[in-house]
C-alpha cells in the first residue's frame, strides 16, 4: 500500500512539510512542528559516507520518534553505490517513511565533493544516484533540488524531468540556484512550470514567511505540497496558520508570550534529553532562543542575556525574570 503521505499529495489536501535543515530540523523540533500542523517532516541531511562508515555522529542524526511520522531521512553524497548502501541501511535499521536525496545543499565543503547542489553540474550523476537509491530500498525515494547550479545551468524543468525518469516519487524544488544561495526571491514561476511538466507530485519551497504565503504558493503554482524552512524558526505555529490559510478557515491567533516561552522551554528540555552532552546541547540551542524571542518588547536585551546561558536553569530564570519585569511594566 502506498504510504499515506503519497496519497495526500494527489488528493488535493496540500500537505505541509517541515524542510530538512541542518542543526534545526532535529527530532525535538520535528515533534513540535508535527504537533502544530506540519503533516510531513524531513531530517537534516546526513552524509551517506558517514552512515556506511557507521560514525556515531551520522547515526545520531537518524534517530526519530514514531510521533514524527511520516518522516523522511535525507541523505547526501556523490557516489551512487555509497548512496545506495546508505539508503538500504537507513531503510532496514531506522525504517523511515521515505528516503530523500539532497541535491540542493549549497555549502562549499559539500559541493566541493560533488555532494548536494554540486551534483547539479552533472545530471548523468544525478540520474545514477537516484536509480541506485531506488533499486536499493523498497521505500519511496524523493528528491530535493535547486533550479540549477548557476544561471548558466538554470533548468528546473529539465532537471526535474530527469529526476522523475530516474524513479523519484516526489520532487521538491527550492526555486533558487546554488549561486543564488539564499539571495533574491525564490522564483515561484519555476515551481509552477515544474508542477505542470511532471507526473509525480511537486512540493514547492522557498520564502514562505507566513500562513497566507502557503496559500499563495499553492494557488499560483499548483504545487501538491508546501515546504517551510526559515519561516518555522522560533515559530512552529506557522504550520497551523498555513493550514488555516490553505483550508480557508479563520486564522488562529498568534501565541502569546506565555505560550511562546512554554514551548521554547519544552523544546530546550527535549533538545537536552536528546543529546548526550547537555552543555553542548544548550549552546547549540541558543539560536532557537534568539528565534523564539524575536519581536518581543526589549527583546534585544533578553537575547544578549540568553546567548550567555550555559544551563537550562539559566534559561528558565532569564525567561521568568523577563516575564515579571514586563508584567511589572504593564501594571505601572
Ligand atoms: C539552517 C538551514 C539548514 C538547512 N539545511 C538543509 C539540509 O540539511 N538539507 C536541505 O535539503 N536543505 C537545507 N536547507 C534549505 C531548506 O530546506 C530550504 O530549501 C531553504 O531554506 C528555502 O526554504 P525557506 O525559504 O522556507 O527557508 C537549510 C536551510 C537552512 C536555513
Amino acid at each position: 500500500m502506498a504510504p499515506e503521505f503519497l496519497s495526500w499529495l494527489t488528493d488535493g489536501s496540500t500537505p505541509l512539510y517541515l524542510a530538512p535543515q541542518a542543526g534545526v530540523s532535529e527530532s525535538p523540533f520535528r515533534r513540535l512542528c508535527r504537533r502544530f500542523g506540519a503533516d510531513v517532516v524531513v531530517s537534516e541531511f546526513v552524509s551517506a559516507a558517514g552512515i556506511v562508515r557507521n560514525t556515531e555522529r551520522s547515526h545520531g542524526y537518524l534517530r526519530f520518534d514514531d510521533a514524527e511520522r511520516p518522516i523522511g531521512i535525507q541523505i547526501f553524497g556523490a557516489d551512487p553505490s555509497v548512496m545506495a548502501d546508505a539508503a538500504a541501511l537507513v531503510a532496514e535499521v531506522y525504517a523511515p517513511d521515505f528516503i530523500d536525496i539532497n541535491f540542493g545543499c549549497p555549502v562549499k565543503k559539500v559541493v566541493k565533493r560533488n555532494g548536494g547542489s554540486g551534483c547539479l553540474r552533472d545530471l548523468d550523476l544525478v540520474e545514477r544516484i537516484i536509480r541506485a537509491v531506488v533499486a536499493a530500498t523498497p521505500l519511496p525515494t524523493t528528491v530535493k533540488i535547486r533550479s540549477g547550479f548557476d544561471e548558466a545551468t538554470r533548468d528546473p524543468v529539465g532537471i526535474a524531468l530527469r529526476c522523475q525518469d530516474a524513479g523519484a516519487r516526489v520532487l521538491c524544488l527550492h526555486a533558487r540556484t546554488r549561486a543564488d544561495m539564499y539571495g533574491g526571491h525564490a522564483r515561484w514561476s519555476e515551481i509552477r512550470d515544474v508542477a505542470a511538466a511532471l507526473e509525480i507530485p511537486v512540493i514547492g519551497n522557498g520564502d514562505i514567511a507566513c500562513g497566507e504565503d502557503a496559500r499563495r504558493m499553492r494557488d499560483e503554482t499548483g504545487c501538491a505540497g508546501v515546504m517551510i524552512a526559515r519561516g518555522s524558526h522560533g515559530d512552529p505555529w506557522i504550520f497551523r496558520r498555513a493550514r488555516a490559510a490553505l483550508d480557508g478557515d479563520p486564522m488562529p491567533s498568534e501565541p502569546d508570550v506565555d505560550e511562546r516561552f512554554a514551548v521554547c522551554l519544552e523544546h530546550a528540555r527535549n533538545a537536552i534529553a536528546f543529546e548526550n552532552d547537555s552543555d553542548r546541547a544548550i549552546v547549540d540551542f541558543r539560536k532557537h532562543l534568539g528565534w523564539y524571542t524575536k519581536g518581543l518588547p526589549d527583546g534585544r536585551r533578553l537575547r544578549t542575556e540568553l546567548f550567555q546561558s550555559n544551563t537550562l536553569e539559566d534559561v528558565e530564570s532569564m525567561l521568568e525574570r523577563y516575564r515579571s519585569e514586563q508584567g511589572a511594566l504593564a501594571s505601572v
Side-chain angles (χ1 to χ4, degrees):
M1 201 177 77
E4 195 183 36
F5 82 95
L6 285 180
S7 54
W8 290 342
L9 286 166
T10 49
D11 72 3
S13 33
T14 322
L16 291 164
Y17 279 59
L18 170 67
Q21 294 171 84
V24 179
S25 69
E26 296 158 323
S27 180
F29 190 56
R30 294 192 302 252
R31 271 178 271 158
L32 273 183
C33 290
R34 285 284 287 124
R35 192 205 304 164
F36 289 114
D39 299 296
V40 184
V41 297
V42 188
S43 75
E44 62 192 283
F45 70 159
V46 191
S47 155
I51 294 170
V52 297
R53 278 203 314 272
N54 273 320
T55 68
E56 203 181 316
R57 186 151 170 223
S58 295
H59 282 266
Y61 295 137
L62 300 174
R63 287 182 294 146
F64 62 86
D65 191 276
D66 265 344
E68 297 169 41
R69 289 183 185 280
I71 180 172
I73 295 289
Q74 190 189 64
I75 58 174
F76 76 96
D79 181 329
S81 72
V82 175
M83 288 288 277
D85 289 348
L89 189 153
V90 168
E92 170 123 10
V93 177
Y94 296 93
D97 298 275
F98 60 104
I99 303 280
D100 188 56
I101 306 179
N102 176 316
F103 292 124
C105 176
V107 174
K108 210 186 239 167
K109 205 170 77 183
V110 173
V111 169
K112 211 171 66 194
R113 295 192 209 121
N114 268 339
S117 63
C119 295
L120 299 177
R121 290 173 296 193
D122 179 353
L123 297 183
D124 290 337
L125 176 62
V126 165
E127 272 207 39
R128 278 190 284 126
I129 290 173
I130 298 172
R131 286 186 198 286
V133 169
V134 167
T137 162
L139 296 178
T141 299
T142 68
V143 299
K144 180 160 176 282
I145 64 169
R146 283 188 175 235
S147 299
F149 189 73
D150 53 20
E151 219 46 46
T153 57
R154 189 163 202 144
D155 178 19
V157 171
I159 299 168
L161 283 169
R162 297 218 28 194
C163 293
Q164 174 176 273
D165 286 350
R169 302 279 296 279
V170 179
L171 178 132
C172 172
L173 173 64
H174 175 199
R176 287 188 172 86
T177 64
R178 190 267 175 175
D180 292 337
M181 300 297 277
Y182 289 93
H185 296 288
R187 290 193 205 164
W188 288 7
S189 59
E190 296 182 331
I191 298 171
R192 183 193 62 216
D193 295 345
V194 169
L198 262 56
E199 278 158 35
I200 59 172
V202 171
I203 311 296
N205 172 233
D207 301 346
I208 302 291
C210 64
E212 184 57 19
D213 286 343
R215 184 201 58 73
R216 254 187 343 103
M217 179 184 272
R218 179 197 60 192
D219 293 353
E220 289 176 20
T221 70
C223 60
V226 170
M227 179 180 277
I228 305 177
R230 289 165 297 172
S232 68
H233 294 177
D235 190 9
W237 302 272
I238 192 173
F239 290 101
R240 71 180 184 199
R241 297 197 300 276
R243 175 50 57 203
L246 286 167
D247 293 352
D249 290 335
M251 194 52 66
S253 53
E254 300 275 338
D256 61 14
V257 179
D258 285 338
E259 186 180 358
R260 269 214 234 183
F261 284 6
V263 166
C264 169
L265 286 172
E266 177 188 345
H267 186 176
R269 278 183 211 110
N270 287 338
I272 290 168
F274 195 72
E275 279 278 345
N276 299 326
D277 178 346
S278 64
D279 291 347
R280 202 185 122 194
I282 200 75
V283 171
D284 285 348
F285 196 76
R286 286 178 184 166
K287 58 181 177 276
H288 292 287
L289 296 172
W291 293 330
Y292 279 113
T293 55
K294 219 169 77 185
L296 292 182
D298 209 13
R300 186 171 297 175
R301 188 182 54 81
L302 172 62
R303 277 190 292 283
T304 308
E305 270 186 42
L306 287 168
F307 287 154
Q308 285 159 30
S309 55
N310 289 310
T311 63
L312 179 65
E313 292 69 34
D314 287 348
V315 176
E316 283 168 340
S317 59
M318 287 168 187
L319 294 182
E320 201 161 308
R321 197 163 55 240
Y322 175 86
R323 286 299 290 134
S324 50
E325 283 167 8
Q326 291 296 314
L329 277 178
S331 59
V332 193

